[in-house]
Amino acid sequence: MTHPTGSDHPDPAAIAPFIAELAAYFDRPLNPDYVGNFDIELNLLDRAQSEELTTILQDGSLVTIHGGVVLDDGNTSDHHLYLTRGPFAGGILFLPHDSDFWNVAFVSLDAFLDAVKSAWETNTWLSDNHPPTTPLHRDPAVLGTFIHDLLDRDEEREECVIQSAIYSLAPVDPDLLMRLALHPNFLYAEAVAGQIATYPALALRPLAQLCSEHKVGQVAGAGQRALAAIDRLGSTPGPDGEV
């Protein structure tokens, strides 16, 4: 993952390496093992198929802001997209059709292709070969600036972009986390609580407590799980068995 390149007017020099990587990928012949295996949702696309499906999905904010290019169509209406700009350029976005959990599942094209290979070799669904947790962005400050900018723009159509980005956000900036937790879109607070549960810290307890008291039940539940994760930190035995 890299620094923002500008979602509205990307710098051609900044996005050039990612455009080149994508072009090189499509220049290579497709491995026939990775095409048409719909029983494990494994069906990579060639350049023409990708362009056709990418055009269909262009109206989605997640696709346009990140410059997403569709890589597969496993006949499930779920897709993996290579991102050409923004803070996640070079990463792979997972875009499921029946969930609001859109996340950058892989940090690179190579990581995605490793999962493709694993799915084929183990005869398991491609989505089952995702990392167990969403990879964190390598630079929380860069991602934080990106999210703050979107919050400042306050465009409803971009809320899915913010929510998706939270899943890659290390919970280290209390001001940003509080801004997200208090936002009218309760899905932000739920995502923040989820990040705290995955990466708990004692300093985040007040924020977890706030989420646990949310009027929306699914946020409160996520907040309670975050509190439990933090409380477990305090009960972890020391090297001699002390708590």
Side-chain angles (χ1 to χ4, degrees):
M1 302 180 190
T2 187
H3 289 238
T5 58
S7 58
D8 296 322
H9 304 286
D11 177 3
I15 68 174
F18 308 106
I19 298 298
E21 181 179 48
L22 190 62
Y25 166 75
F26 282 123
D27 284 343
R28 300 195 298 264
L30 276 173
N31 185 331
D33 292 338
Y34 304 157
V35 178
N37 285 294
F38 297 111
D39 56 330
I40 56 172
E41 62 175 355
L42 186 57
N43 182 47
L44 299 187
L45 304 178
D46 61 25
R47 191 192 308 268
Q49 293 168 324
S50 170
E51 289 176 352
E52 180 179 1
L53 191 48
T54 299
T55 299
I56 293 173
L57 296 178
Q58 274 300 315
D59 288 341
S61 294
L62 278 163
V63 180
T64 56
I65 285 182
H66 294 307
V69 177
V70 183
L71 298 178
D72 68 334
D73 182 10
N75 202 32
T76 60
S77 298
D78 299 342
H79 306 288
H80 294 86
L81 284 72
Y82 179 88
L83 306 183
T84 62
R85 62 174 180 255
F88 297 107
I92 308 296
L93 175 74
F94 182 55
L95 196 66
H97 77 285
D98 63 349
S99 169
D100 56 11
F101 188 80
W102 315 280
N103 68 320
V104 179
F106 300 96
V107 299
S108 67
L109 180 58
D110 285 343
F112 168 68
L113 294 176
D114 285 344
V116 167
K117 180 181 180 183
S118 177
W120 165 250
E121 291 178 342
T122 60
N123 196 39
T124 54
W125 276 42
L126 177 54
S127 56
D128 288 339
N129 288 272
H130 286 189
T133 59
T134 300
L136 294 178
H137 194 278
R138 68 176 64 181
D139 193 330
V142 166
L143 185 56
T145 297
F146 175 75
I147 294 173
H148 272 302
D149 288 346
L150 290 174
L151 288 168
D152 290 343
R153 283 158 62 140
D154 194 25
E155 295 189 19
E156 185 176 354
R157 69 183 187 88
E158 295 177 348
E159 290 187 356
C160 62
V161 182
I162 296 173
Q163 182 186 342
S164 175
I166 297 171
Y167 301 132
S168 300
L169 182 66
V172 296
D173 181 345
D175 292 335
L176 174 58
L177 296 173
M178 183 62 71
R179 186 179 184 187
L180 290 166
L182 295 176
H183 195 276
N185 187 333
F186 68 86
L187 294 175
Y188 296 175
E190 183 182 14
V192 165
Q195 291 303 95
I196 295 173
T198 304
Y199 305 100
L202 295 177
L204 296 172
R205 201 177 200 290
L207 191 58
Q209 183 68 43
L210 176 68
C211 292
S212 75
E213 297 168 354
H214 202 281
K215 62 182 180 181
V216 176
Q218 68 191 69
V219 180
Q224 289 162 7
R225 290 189 291 275
L227 283 174
I230 293 171
D231 289 343
R232 284 194 293 271
L233 293 177
S235 61
T236 302
D240 297 319
E242 301 91 357
V243 173

